[in-house]
Amino acid sequence: MCGIIGVFNRSEPDPVPGEVLHQMLAQIEYRGPDETGFYRDAWIGLGNARLSIIDLSGGRQPIGNEDGTLWIVFNGEIFNYVELRPALEARGHRFATNTDTEVVLHLYEEYGPACLQQLNGQFAIAIWDSQQRTLFIARDRLGIRPLFYTVFDNRLVFGSEIKTILAYPGMQAAIDMDSLAQVFTFWSVLSPRTIFRGIYELPPAHYALAHGSELQVERYWSMDFQEAACGRRTDDLVDELEALLIDATRIRLRADVLVGAYLSGGLDSSVTTALIRKYTSNRLDTFSIAFADNPEFDESRYQQAVAAALGTDHRVVSCTHADIGRVFPDVVRHIETPVLRTAPAPMFLLSQLVHDHRLKVVMTGEGADEFLGGYDIFKEMKIRRFWARNPESRLRPLLLQRLYPDINKLAGVNGAYRRAFFSKDLIDTPSPYYSHAIRWTTTARARRFFAAPPATTDWRRDVALPEMFTSWASLAQAQYLESSIFLPQYLLSSQGDRVAMAHSVEGRYPFLDYRVVEYCNHLPAGVKMPGLIEKWLLRQLGRRLLPAQVWQRRKRPYRAPIQNSFYGAHAPEYVRDLLSETAIRDSGYFQPVSVAQLADKAASGRSLSETDEMALVGILSTQLVHQQFIRAFQRRPPAASEHSEVLDRVIGA
């Protein structure tokens, strides 16, 4: 796992100053604190900050091929590199290291962009072809690892995080209000946009070729939810899923360092942890979050039970309201975008705990909910479609009581309110957005705090759908929306890569092995969610591996407290400053009077609604983005390090 940067001259040879590359890479040294390396010629400059996990002593980047015509910087892991290397050696490729990075380089040399089809991993890649003067950049299928770019001063500038681009001389950040409107609707900006005007994200499952002034962006993989015929017995399906997950877990244990695991107490991370314990002899450290002062969010009882049953060395970070408020500015600096939840903050503290125990790699359970049917929003969709077939029924809406029981503010509302809320556009079942329309419409109410309405007020215009979308089952349609928007843009970014790598920790995701994803996506809906039973097939696997109290347990969404994290006895001073009338007016994004009313209500101790809590976090995090990246962007100075190397080809280029 690493951080990468690069600057490509689009028109003329003009060597990028070495100090510029050092300055850019310095912004993300935490992504790769073990060593740094650079490559320069007259057309390009590349840099890498390395978190050494495979071939600890020999894997310094950039890495070149045999004749020095190709150079790679790489962020991530290719888990099947062991299987790929022999075929390349048989075709005459010679290796100087034992890394997965060099396998990618030779695979590209052999197959070009088509090499991506052979990779099983999580990655952001940049390869420079000095003979063709072509830059190739690519990102993994599900969007686990980030990659951003912009065109500035006739140069293509890219990096693993946006702050690397902002460190380029002359760059100035500006918030794009249409992107901010997307955050206040979908919980995140939709790829390829970012919150900053003119700075883009390479979308998941895409690559780009830059040659001269041309930039060609292409998709190389797509999610397909077309159901396959399924006449197999339940035990056979469980066997197939288990075999895939065993192999996905096995190859993700490949590392020359210890691998730990996150343990939430729920089914997904417990299955992953159980597979590690059952099929390896590794000593295993597990890590969890506890909310000592807020039982509504705490799952420590289940975490301890799983750790005891599986015999792991378990460690817990106890997260308080004060902790969340204290670290939130640091979290926003790392995630580089406004958010509507505080959930990334405890994950930030959890990765710090992992780092403090000298681990670099953890397994996690993300992806199971999206691809095996675990979210309440899928149940919500099924109930509403069932109700829509008889809209006047008095009994069918009673099923709404089965939704969101662990969210106190929703669990306590009366039946009439639930019925009114979930009946909005009830019979609009042909809509491709049916499953998510209520969520997005409700969240978009927070836009009322904007100083001016966004240019685009209809969120339907923002969401692109694949051609085959309407042919998929209704559950599959909902899964696609969740796994193409919420998963990469929020869960794997703000709550995943960015807060883990803040403490030099790499997350690995067996459920996001593309083979597992493709298998699950072709399963019939009734196998994933029969009736309102979430993750039914995974539960059958859990029955084989886990105590009954775990595999039978209803899913509980991971959440973190909001209002009490910013107001009350431990209210951080920055909240009052950033939400003051002066600060709100100076930034210009929100209405000062409306924000003051929201802040006064929060400070008074009166309970905020779910929508108002999300608005509060969204406004506060936007103000932090403005303060940290626009009003006063602080560039980290390059660190003098003995673990740095420059491969300089400028002379004679």
Side-chain angles (χ1 to χ4, degrees):
M1 186 54 58
C2 307
I4 65 175
I5 57 100
V7 180
F8 168 56
N9 297 315
R10 287 155 52 91
S11 59
E12 299 179 356
D14 183 14
V16 182
E19 58 267 24
V20 170
L21 298 177
H22 279 267
Q23 180 71 74
M24 291 173 64
L25 196 61
Q27 310 313 307
I28 54 171
E29 286 177 342
Y30 46 80
R31 294 188 70 94
D34 294 327
E35 57 188 14
T36 59
F38 300 89
Y39 169 89
R40 282 200 315 155
D41 64 25
W43 290 92
I44 201 165
L46 301 172
N48 172 269
R50 183 176 183 230
L51 182 67
S52 52
I53 293 173
I54 294 174
D55 192 1
L56 304 186
S57 61
R60 184 192 299 275
Q61 300 182 37
I63 294 176
N65 64 345
E66 297 93 333
D67 61 4
T69 57
L70 296 179
W71 291 91
I72 185 173
V73 287
F74 175 73
N75 168 31
E77 305 289 346
I78 304 302
F79 300 115
N80 64 332
Y81 77 102
V82 175
E83 290 77 14
L84 292 172
R85 178 166 169 161
L88 290 167
E89 290 176 321
R91 297 178 73 90
H93 293 270
R94 300 188 306 278
F95 287 78
T97 74
N98 293 313
T99 63
D100 55 338
T101 302
E102 193 176 6
V103 169
V104 176
L105 180 68
H106 289 290
L107 206 65
Y108 179 79
E109 185 177 20
E110 187 70 32
Y111 300 105
C115 73
L116 297 170
Q117 302 295 337
Q118 300 185 48
L119 301 181
N120 187 341
Q122 49 194 50
F123 52 81
I125 301 167
I127 297 177
W128 168 240
D129 185 332
S130 62
Q131 288 186 321
Q132 300 297 322
R133 293 179 183 168
T134 299
L135 172 68
F136 169 76
I137 58 176
R139 197 163 167 224
D140 64 73
R141 293 172 177 84
L142 278 305
I144 299 172
R145 299 303 164 208
L147 191 59
F148 301 93
Y149 68 92
T150 192
V151 174
F152 181 77
D153 195 24
N154 208 24
R155 285 173 164 172
L156 179 69
V157 184
F158 65 90
S160 292
E161 297 186 13
I162 292 173
K163 57 181 67 70
T164 65
I165 296 172
L166 297 181
Y168 185 83
M171 280 294 302
Q172 294 291 326
I175 285 183
D176 184 310
M177 287 304 297
D178 287 340
S179 294
L180 187 63
Q182 290 185 349
V183 173
F184 277 67
T185 303
F186 309 110
W187 295 26
S188 60
V189 184
L190 303 186
S191 181
R193 302 173 75 144
T194 71
I195 194 63
F196 299 108
R197 190 180 308 138
I199 298 177
Y200 302 97
E201 172 188 69
L202 185 66
H206 282 70
Y207 71 85
L209 285 169
H211 181 76
S213 59
E214 296 181 3
L215 181 65
Q216 175 188 358
V217 179
E218 300 285 347
R219 175 182 286 276
Y220 68 88
W221 181 83
S222 299
M223 284 185 283
D224 180 9
F225 285 87
Q226 198 68 45
E227 292 185 5
C230 182
R232 302 187 297 285
R233 298 181 307 116
T234 295
D235 284 347
D236 293 336
L237 293 174
V238 178
D239 289 344
E240 291 167 2
L241 179 61
E242 183 177 27
L244 282 169
L245 284 173
I246 289 171
D247 195 59
T249 302
R250 177 186 64 83
I251 63 176
R252 279 162 179 76
L253 289 169
R254 288 174 170 168
D256 294 329
V257 297
L258 288 176
V259 178
Y262 284 165
L263 192 58
S264 69
L267 179 64
D268 313 338
S269 63
S270 298
V271 165
T272 301
T273 304
L275 290 175
I276 298 172
R277 296 298 289 147
K278 183 174 181 179
Y279 294 100
T280 73
S281 58
N282 296 20
R283 166 180 169 268
L284 184 62
D285 293 287
T286 51
F287 301 87
S288 296
I289 302 167
F291 293 97
D293 55 1
N294 206 318
E296 177 186 353
F297 303 103
D298 188 63
E299 299 183 75
S300 56
R301 175 165 63 96
Y302 298 100
Q303 296 160 2
Q304 297 290 349
V306 176
L310 298 179
T312 70
D313 295 321
H314 192 60
R315 297 175 174 86
V316 179
V317 58
S318 184
C319 184
T320 66
H321 297 141
D323 291 330
I324 293 173
R326 172 177 55 84
V327 303
F328 195 67
D330 292 331
V331 169
V332 171
R333 182 169 178 83
H334 281 283
I335 66 178
E336 302 177 323
T337 184
V339 285
L340 304 184
R341 294 289 190 187
T342 55
M347 298 300 294
F348 178 85
L349 293 168
L350 182 62
S351 68
Q352 185 176 49
L353 177 69
V354 174
H355 177 80
D356 290 346
H357 283 84
R358 301 180 183 277
L359 269 72
K360 296 180 177 181
V361 182
V362 288
M363 296 281 206
T364 85
E366 276 82 2
D369 288 315
E370 286 78 9
F371 298 111
L372 284 161
Y375 286 128
D376 262 22
I377 198 168
F378 302 148
K379 296 182 184 179
E380 174 189 318
M381 177 272 300
K382 295 187 75 171
I383 292 171
R384 292 182 70 240
R385 285 186 179 275
F386 176 65
W387 180 14
R389 294 201 292 270
N390 185 1
E392 304 305 318
S393 172
R394 299 178 60 186
L395 297 178
R396 295 189 179 198
L398 297 179
L399 289 170
L400 297 170
Q401 297 174 14
R402 301 278 297 274
L403 299 175
Y404 312 109
D406 296 306
I407 302 178
N408 290 345
K409 292 179 181 180
L410 297 179
V413 300
N414 61 44
Y417 176 86
R418 281 179 179 268
R419 179 172 181 139
F421 180 83
F422 287 109
S423 66
K424 180 175 174 58
D425 297 325
L426 179 67
I427 61 173
D428 189 21
T429 53
S431 168
Y433 313 106
Y434 187 79
S435 60
H436 284 64
I438 286 182
R439 175 198 284 181
W440 293 341
T441 301
T442 302
T443 305
R445 292 174 187 167
R447 293 183 184 184
R448 71 186 186 276
F449 291 98
F450 283 17
T456 302
T457 57
D458 186 355
W459 48 258
R460 294 168 182 82
R461 299 177 184 175
D462 293 331
V463 181
L465 300 174
E467 290 183 8
M468 298 296 293
F469 186 86
T470 55
S471 69
W472 298 338
S474 57
L475 176 60
Q477 292 179 352
Q479 288 181 280
Y480 176 84
L481 293 175
E482 195 71 7
S483 56
S484 64
I485 296 176
F486 179 78
L487 177 67
Q489 303 307 116
Y490 174 77
L491 196 64
L492 295 177
S493 178
S494 296
Q495 212 169 282
D497 172 273
R498 312 307 284 281
V499 290
M501 290 304 295
H503 295 112
S504 310
V505 173
E506 172 185 294
R508 296 183 175 183
Y509 310 89
F511 286 103
L512 295 182
D513 186 303
Y514 78 94
R515 300 168 301 169
V516 176
V517 170
E518 291 178 347
Y519 176 78
C520 294
N521 287 355
H522 293 307
L523 289 171
V527 171
K528 291 180 277 193
M529 182 181 280
L532 298 180
I533 303 174
E534 76 267 12
K535 288 182 293 196
W536 181 83
L537 187 62
L538 186 61
R539 288 184 184 279
Q540 307 318 303
L541 176 56
R543 184 197 293 262
R544 299 179 178 181
L545 302 170
L546 300 167
Q549 64 173 323
V550 178
W551 71 261
Q552 291 179 342
R553 184 185 172 212
R554 191 189 191 283
K555 177 178 172 56
R556 182 171 181 173
Y558 164 65
R559 300 169 68 245
I562 292 177
Q563 185 173 351
N564 291 334
S565 299
F566 301 120
Y567 293 96
H570 303 286
E573 188 173 337
Y574 71 84
V575 175
R576 181 184 60 192
D577 294 340
L578 290 175
L579 299 186
S580 69
E581 182 177 349
T582 299
I584 294 293
R585 183 173 289 108
D586 287 349
S587 63
Y589 310 119
F590 305 104
Q591 302 173 33
V593 174
S594 299
V595 172
Q597 292 171 345
L598 177 64
D600 288 345
K601 182 178 181 181
S604 72
R606 289 177 290 166
S607 179
L608 299 181
S609 67
E610 283 281 311
T611 303
D612 280 352
E613 279 203 319
M614 287 193 291
L616 176 66
V617 180
I619 295 166
L620 181 59
S621 57
T622 302
Q623 290 292 97
L624 283 165
V625 168
H626 178 81
Q627 178 192 58
Q628 295 176 344
F629 295 100
I630 296 172
R631 187 168 66 85
F633 178 57
Q634 298 293 321
R635 294 171 174 83
R636 286 173 173 241
S641 173
E642 59 181 310
H643 305 295
S644 181
E645 182 177 347
V646 179
L647 300 167
D648 207 330
R649 301 296 179 89
V650 172
I651 298 175

